[in-house]
């Protein structure tokens, strides 16, 4: 991948929303996988009395939240990219353009899951920072070059 | 049985005698002619030599020299002349022949009467041929290159469109808020 002229500049709202949408699809896929695995496990456990599990909406929301926080935390703390960030060529870094770390990644992920509308602040902030970025002192930049920040 | 009279000679015997006489006359005439030619040649040779290289005539003006020069010229230039003639005439002749022949029609007629599939299956190891072709083509590499290029181009297109949309939104918001971004003139 060549290094574009906008490498390292703050990412805008559209790219970040698209990345969040892709990450949402990833989370839905993970939930479906978990549901299928649970059904298979229940079938193997009691084949005679097996019925397809039908979780409540509350359980789905909670499970979705937990999976989202874990998925985003691991992605940002390790490579700085979730799958959506990878597709859109974005990277989450600290203010010093370094790796965000596990604690701040977890806090940022929890903040996004609890208050997704904080992303809208990107439109108003001159440096394209969301509410979560302001809270955990992170930034999201265009980064098409496949590397892991140190 | 007594001796036969002349009138009793059979017809085949008479024909044989006539043929023998004719051949004898012909053979004699040939020998005489050959002797005459041989004698004539022996007699004429000094005369011809004298005519070709007459005495008291300079060598460069002797008729024999002219005859020898013509012979040598023909001998030397004959091969080249034949080659030139062949080069000129052969393509024209071939072209004329091909113009007059309906090659497509002949090929159609031949192919309509020949079961090419049966011939092919009988004489060609199609499986081995296909295997050789497959072995010669690195199909997985081609598929990888094609899909990799397609994926890369698709992702790059999405990213570029995202950035363009980001800039458009930023410009719109900046205009609404009447502000300038840091770093912009």
């Amino acid at each position: 991948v060549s290094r574009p002229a906008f490498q390292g500049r703050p990412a805008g709202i559209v790219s970040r929303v698209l990345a969040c949408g892709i990450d949402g699809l990833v989370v839905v896929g993970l939930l479906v996988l978990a549901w299928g695995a649970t059904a298979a496990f229940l079938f193997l456990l009691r084949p005679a009395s097996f019925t397809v599990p039908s979780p409540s909406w509350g359980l789905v929301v909670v499970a979705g939240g937990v999976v989202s926080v874990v998925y985003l935390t691991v992605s940002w703390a390790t490579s700085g990219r979730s799958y959506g960030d990878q597709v859109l060529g974005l990277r989450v870094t600290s203010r010093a353009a370094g790796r965000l770390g596990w604690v701040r990644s977890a806090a940022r992920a929890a903040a996004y899951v609890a208050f997704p509308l904080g992303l809208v602040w990107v439109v108003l902030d001159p440096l394209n920072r969301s509410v979560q970025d302001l809270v955990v002192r992170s930034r999201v930049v265009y980064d098409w070059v496949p590397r892991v920040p140190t | 049985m007594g001796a036969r009279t002349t009138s009793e000679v059979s017809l085949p015997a008479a024909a044989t005698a006539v043929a023998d006489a004719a051949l004898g006359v012909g053979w004699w005439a040939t020998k005489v002619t050959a002797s005459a030619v041989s004698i004539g040649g022996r007699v004429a040779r000094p005369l011809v030599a004298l005519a070709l290289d007459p005495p008291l005539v300079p060598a460069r003006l002797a008729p024999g020299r002219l005859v020898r020069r013509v012979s040598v010229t023909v001998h030397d230039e004959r091969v080249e002349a034949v080659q030139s003639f062949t080069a000129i005439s052969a393509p024209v002749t071939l072209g004329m022949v091909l113009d007059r022949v309906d090659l497509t029609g002949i090929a159609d007629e031949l192919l309509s009467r020949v079961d090419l599939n049966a011939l092919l299956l009988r004489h060609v190891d199609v499986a081995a041929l296909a295997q050789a072709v497959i072995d010669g083509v690195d199909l997985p590499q081609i598929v990888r290159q094609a899909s990799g290029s397609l994926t890369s181009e698709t992702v790059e297109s999405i990213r570029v469109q995202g950035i363009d949309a980001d800039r458009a939104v930023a410009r719109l918001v900046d205009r609404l808020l009447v502000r300038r971004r840091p770093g912009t003139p």
Side-chain angles (χ1 to χ4, degrees), chain A residues 16 19-20 23-24 27 68-86 90-94 98-114 116 119 130 132-133 136 138-141 147-150:
Chain A
R16 294 175 67 166
C20 288
D23 288 335
V27 170
S68 298
V69 169
V70 172
Y71 162 69
L72 293 175
T73 300
V74 172
S75 300
W76 292 336
T78 53
S79 65
R81 296 174 185 260
S82 62
Y83 184 72
D85 294 333
Q86 171 70 31
L90 309 179
R91 193 183 297 277
V92 180
T93 68
S94 65
R99 198 177 294 181
L100 197 56
W102 285 97
V103 176
R104 282 201 286 171
S105 295
R108 191 172 190 270
Y112 266 116
V113 170
L119 186 60
S130 66
Q132 291 80 359
D133 288 330
V136 302
S138 63
R139 58 200 290 258
V140 179
V141 296
R147 60 167 177 77
V148 177
T150 54

Side-chain angles (χ1 to χ4, degrees), chain A:
Chain A
V1 179
S2 59
R3 180 179 290 269
F6 35 81
Q7 173 79 15
R9 293 189 180 176
I13 182 67
V14 179
S15 298
R16 294 175 67 166
V17 168
L18 287 174
C20 288
I22 293 173
D23 288 335
L25 292 177
V26 171
V27 170
V28 169
L30 291 174
L31 289 177
V32 170
L33 277 177
W35 173 77
T38 305
F41 178 74
L42 291 177
F43 176 78
L44 292 174
L45 200 63
R46 293 178 181 172
S49 61
F50 172 75
T51 56
V52 177
S54 179
S56 65
W57 276 110
L59 179 60
V60 170
V61 170
V62 171
V66 171
V67 169
S68 298
V69 169
V70 172
Y71 162 69
L72 293 175
T73 300
V74 172
S75 300
W76 292 336
T78 53
S79 65
R81 296 174 185 260
S82 62
Y83 184 72
D85 294 333
Q86 171 70 31
V87 172
L88 271 298
L90 309 179
R91 193 183 297 277
V92 180
T93 68
S94 65
R95 289 273 176 88
R99 198 177 294 181
L100 197 56
W102 285 97
V103 176
R104 282 201 286 171
S105 295
R108 191 172 190 270
Y112 266 116
V113 170
F115 184 56
L117 283 178
L119 186 60
V120 178
W121 192 252
V122 171
V123 179
L124 302 174
D125 187 82
L127 295 176
N128 287 353
R129 290 169 297 189
S130 66
V131 172
Q132 291 80 359
D133 288 330
L134 293 171
V135 171
V136 302
R137 301 173 64 80
S138 63
R139 58 200 290 258
V140 179
V141 296
Y142 299 117
D143 187 1
W144 289 19
V145 182
R147 60 167 177 77
V148 177
T150 54

Side-chain angles (χ1 to χ4, degrees), chain B residues 24-63:
Chain B
V25 169
W27 180 246
W28 178 80
T30 303
K31 285 176 67 178
V32 169
T33 304
S35 298
V37 169
S38 177
I39 293 169
R42 281 200 296 270
V43 171
R45 186 177 301 158
L47 297 176
V48 171
L50 186 64
L52 291 177
D53 293 312
L56 304 179
V57 174
R60 58 187 178 85
L61 298 178

